[in-house]
Amino acid sequence: MASHKELAKQVVDKIGGAQNVDQAWHCVTRLRFNLNDKDKVEIEDIKKLNGVMGAQFSGDQFQVIIGNQVSDVFAEVEPLVGGSGSSEGKNSGEKQGVLSLVMDFISGIFTPILPALAGAGLLKGFNALFLTVGWLTEESPTYMVLNAIGDSVFYFLPFFLAVSTARKMRTNEYLALIVAGTLMYPTFAEALAGEQTSIDFLGWGFINIPLIDYNTSVIPIILSVILLKYVYDLVKKVIPSAIQLMFAPMITFLIVLPLSLWLIGPLGTTIGNFVSDIFNWLFDFSGLFAGLLLAGLMPLIIMTGMHYAFAPIAITSIAALGYDNMVMPMMFISNAAQAGAALGVAVVTRNAQMKQLGLSSGISAAIGITEPAMYGVNMKLKKPFVLAMISAGLIGAFAGWYGLKAYTMSGIVGVFALPVFADPTGESASFLVATILFILAIVLPFILVLIFRFKDVEDDTIHAKEETTKPETKQAEVGKETMVQSPLKGHIVPLSEVSDPTFAQEIMGKGIAIEPEENRVVAPVTGSIMVFPDSQHAIGIKGDNGEEILIHIGIDTVSLKGEHFNGLINEGDRVEVGQTLVEFDRDAIRAKDIPTVTMILVTNTADYLDVLPMNNSGEIFEGEHLLTLVK
């Protein structure tokens, strides 16, 4: 199998290169891309790559199914594409459909917080299980501590969603946290506890802000951060740059936060409760039919990536009702059925590789990661996939009729998610039923596969795939990538927008520019100072990996002849990454009508295949990954 680095390079090449990537992230098993031109994707070649289980478009989002190693592969993909493109991508000139936009948006928000949801949800489930079996009581200090840990991510969910939504919208995360903090502010909660229902903002009598408990809420914070992004961008266009730092956030807060408390938050709460009520009504009205459809069709939903759209529904349901009787139970049963079918294949097949894959992927599916079993075994053989869906539908129908409930969330829905079905009140029936149904969901498709069999795979099918990918793997071998950190805190500016044509046309090399928000520059790499003129406005560094970095503070700052600059290094000095190089007074420089935008250039760009900025816009902090140099 190709190394993670080789596979990452192959995938990026076959999706049209880094310049074709608008955004990239991953979930539990898939690489996910927003692309500027989907026609450049060589999808059939990607499917043949050794280490890839499948590839598909879900709306305008391109997904590459990797399996359990996805985080390792993404770690190699990120330096190649991270920040390439921008949110302005046009997707082949085609307008994205509303459904595609919504699915992509929801996926981008909830995928990053899955580890927090998974860890806290599982701990919360185990705590309820310990209460059920009598190992703990609600009054015990151990229960209270574990409950606080498990409950934290759900109670303070608006903070987590504020960060992930801000990243998806490419706006300031810390401003988004202020929005979440305001919605969750204790004074409002205390007023609500005192049976006060609203407060009169400004005393005008018509801006009555409803007092709502926003803990565990989903839609209010998402809508509020969307509003924040557009208001903040508009305010920054109006406010002069010299006073942007202070006044742009303040004015944004004065617009966004009252509107969020008065209109956006209540509207989001109403929408969330309405959607949750519809699905819960469906299960109450005909749980048997709803369970049959949802559990049976869950693999198809997972294939399209639409299962992330159910996350806000499940969370809202748990917040409003104390349980989820739709998403978690049906996914739990569906995943177990895929595991049972794959294990059945492992017993029946005479193909040594398929037998090993069936066993390993079956165990993985039982844990809750189903793509290896779905794509690598069941779908490839077709009949096991159908038998798994039929089994899941039948057992899901019973679960819907019975009213099986999950009392918290779990990021990975498998055998280790069983504790989330433990009733927090200590009642044991829910946990026992969930355990029995999980076992049945594995056993039924396992038996059906043994009875109905399938057309087996010849050994040379797998060998042929390995052989076809070997030459490509060798051909894709590349040298190392070098990371350049940000030498200062500020706002990213593409070189093309810099007023000096020498920099804008990349005559001195590729790179990025930053409008500074602090008065110092630090070393972006470890190496030696090669250039440091008396004017102290520019620093040339030769890095240990051969990279030649020029940091040019401001435009025409050489005319200052060192005034407002304080150099802390000399030519020939050895410097470590993060070491302070120069201090400067940006306000004094701006007062002389001299731009302070700072260019970070790779002057030996010709030595590299490409110089890739991690982002072309937004805020960046000192020491953050700024550029990737690809050999």
Side-chain angles (χ1 to χ4, degrees):
M1 178 177 173
S3 70
H4 300 317
K5 182 177 290 187
E6 291 170 342
L7 180 57
K9 178 64 167 58
Q10 291 168 356
V11 170
V12 171
D13 286 345
K14 293 184 182 299
I15 60 175
Q19 67 276 8
N20 194 37
V21 178
D22 177 46
Q23 284 185 318
W25 70 101
H26 74 94
C27 59
V28 178
T29 55
R30 308 176 192 199
L31 301 173
R32 294 169 177 263
F33 300 96
N34 284 347
L35 303 175
N36 297 322
D37 186 351
K38 64 183 181 182
D39 293 333
K40 293 182 178 180
V41 176
E42 303 172 37
I43 189 167
E44 294 304 321
D45 289 343
I46 292 174
K47 290 178 180 179
K48 295 175 183 177
L49 291 177
N50 195 10
V52 171
M53 295 177 179
Q56 63 187 23
F57 277 97
S58 177
D60 289 289
Q61 182 187 110
F62 184 61
Q63 303 172 355
V64 182
I65 299 95
I66 301 295
N68 299 344
Q69 304 297 317
V70 67
S71 59
D72 296 325
V73 175
F74 182 75
E76 302 296 342
V77 168
E78 191 171 24
L80 299 179
V81 304
S84 297
S86 70
S87 57
E88 310 296 322
K90 300 300 180 187
N91 296 300
S92 305
E94 299 173 6
K95 187 176 181 180
Q96 282 185 287
V98 175
L99 183 61
S100 296
L101 285 170
V102 171
M103 293 304 170
D104 172 71
F105 185 70
I106 293 174
S107 172
I109 290 175
F110 282 92
T111 299
I113 67 173
L114 275 180
L117 287 173
L122 192 59
L123 180 58
K124 189 176 173 69
F126 271 113
N127 208 30
L129 179 60
F130 296 155
L131 185 67
T132 299
V133 298
W135 293 351
L136 293 176
T137 64
E138 290 184 346
E139 293 76 25
S140 72
T142 302
Y143 177 87
M144 288 189 287
V145 170
L146 293 179
N147 191 61
I149 298 171
D151 229 12
S152 59
V153 65
F154 300 98
Y155 186 88
F156 295 106
L157 189 61
F159 288 97
F160 293 84
L161 291 173
V163 173
S164 61
T165 305
R167 288 180 178 174
K168 184 64 179 175
M169 296 298 299
R170 296 187 177 181
T171 192
N172 190 292
E173 299 166 15
Y174 296 94
L175 300 188
L177 286 170
I178 294 292
V179 177
T182 303
L183 293 179
M184 297 281 291
Y185 198 66
T187 299
F188 298 131
E190 291 167 3
L192 181 63
E195 298 184 358
Q196 185 176 349
T197 58
S198 64
I199 55 175
D200 183 7
F201 182 60
L202 298 178
W204 293 346
F206 65 89
I207 306 181
N208 293 309
I209 294 176
L211 294 176
I212 298 173
D213 190 353
Y214 288 106
N215 67 69
T216 73
S217 64
V218 174
I219 297 179
I221 186 63
I222 293 175
L223 294 179
S224 297
V225 173
I226 293 173
L227 176 65
L228 170 77
K229 188 265 191 305
Y230 291 108
V231 171
Y232 186 48
D233 286 352
L234 179 62
V235 170
K236 285 196 296 183
K237 289 180 180 179
V238 176
I239 297 293
S241 59
I243 60 172
Q244 263 190 20
L245 179 63
M246 295 179 294
F247 286 96
M250 184 191 74
I251 294 171
T252 301
F253 292 153
L254 290 175
I255 297 171
V256 172
L257 295 177
L259 284 175
S260 294
L261 291 168
W262 181 35
L263 299 174
I264 304 298
L267 174 64
T269 300
T270 301
I271 293 172
N273 290 337
F274 177 72
V275 173
S276 177
D277 288 345
I278 288 177
F279 281 97
N280 281 294
W281 171 84
L282 178 62
F283 270 77
D284 290 340
F285 178 74
S286 181
L288 188 146
F289 181 69
L292 173 70
L293 282 181
L294 190 56
L297 299 178
M298 186 61 71
L300 303 180
I301 296 171
I302 292 173
M303 285 168 58
T304 63
M306 290 178 62
H307 55 298
Y308 286 105
F310 291 129
I313 299 171
I315 294 172
T316 303
S317 180
I318 291 172
L321 305 175
Y323 60 81
D324 163 36
N325 61 348
M326 179 185 69
V327 181
M328 287 285 293
M330 301 309 147
M331 191 176 293
F332 179 71
I333 290 168
S334 176
N335 290 354
Q338 291 295 325
L343 293 173
V345 169
V347 172
V348 172
T349 183
R350 295 182 179 180
N351 182 297
Q353 288 86 357
M354 184 60 74
K355 186 179 291 291
Q356 182 179 355
L357 182 59
L359 178 62
S360 62
S361 66
I363 294 172
S364 175
I367 293 172
I369 301 174
T370 58
E371 273 87 345
M374 281 174 53
Y375 290 96
V377 179
N378 298 337
M379 285 185 65
K380 181 178 291 185
L381 301 173
K382 297 181 177 63
K383 191 178 289 186
F385 185 68
V386 174
L387 294 175
M389 291 178 64
I390 292 172
S391 302
L394 293 174
I395 297 173
F398 176 83
W401 170 80
Y402 173 79
L404 182 64
K405 300 178 178 65
Y407 294 92
T408 185
M409 291 287 291
S410 173
I412 299 177
V413 189
V415 64
F416 294 117
L418 270 170
V420 308
F421 295 93
D423 193 328
T425 63
E427 190 271 327
S428 61
S430 179
F431 178 76
L432 291 176
V433 170
T435 303
I436 293 169
L437 293 183
F438 183 78
I439 295 171
L440 287 176
I442 292 178
V443 171
L444 181 57
F446 178 85
I447 294 174
L448 291 178
V449 169
L450 295 185
I451 294 173
F452 293 102
R453 304 291 174 125
F454 49 86
K455 185 178 179 180
D456 209 351
V457 178
E458 298 293 333
D459 282 326
D460 60 358
T461 302
I462 294 178
H463 294 322
K465 180 174 179 179
E466 291 177 350
E467 291 301 319
T468 56
T469 57
K470 282 180 182 176
E472 199 165 358
T473 298
K474 292 178 183 177
Q475 187 177 5
E477 288 182 354
V478 295
K480 60 184 179 181
E481 293 87 25
T482 299
M483 181 182 76
V484 177
Q485 295 185 7
S486 176
L488 68 168
K489 176 185 176 182
H491 186 80
I492 294 175
V493 179
L495 279 185
S496 59
E497 297 180 11
V498 173
S499 60
D500 190 322
T502 302
F503 300 119
Q505 296 174 19
E506 300 181 343
I507 294 172
M508 299 184 66
K510 292 185 176 183
I512 198 75
I514 299 175
E515 184 62 56
E517 294 181 1
E518 291 184 346
N519 291 335
R520 72 170 188 170
V521 169
V522 303
V525 296
T526 295
S528 301
I529 302 297
M530 304 301 292
V531 176
F532 189 55
D534 292 339
S535 58
Q536 304 181 82
H537 75 290
I539 310 105
I541 305 175
K542 178 69 174 288
D544 288 349
N545 294 317
E547 65 275 27
E548 297 177 9
I549 309 298
L550 173 65
I551 305 171
H552 195 286
I553 306 170
I555 296 176
D556 292 330
T557 43
V558 65
S559 62
L560 295 174
K561 299 180 180 179
E563 186 181 2
H564 308 309
F565 290 92
N566 177 32
L568 303 177
I569 39 87
N570 297 296
E571 284 189 12
D573 283 357
R574 172 81 179 169
V575 294
E576 298 295 326
V577 63
Q579 178 180 334
T580 303
L581 305 179
V582 174
E583 296 172 344
F584 61 98
D585 189 340
R586 70 188 191 283
D587 292 331
I589 295 171
R590 290 168 181 168
K592 296 186 177 182
D593 292 327
I594 296 177
T596 55
V597 62
T598 299
M599 284 59 66
I600 300 92
L601 308 174
V602 181
T603 55
N604 63 333
T605 293
D607 294 343
Y608 296 91
L609 288 176
D610 209 348
V611 174
L612 304 173
M614 291 300 292
N615 284 292
N616 281 333
S617 62
E619 302 293 322
I620 192 161
F621 294 89
E622 181 184 290
E624 195 173 346
H625 191 169
L626 180 68
L627 300 171
T628 296
L629 316 184
V630 184
K631 276 287 188 180

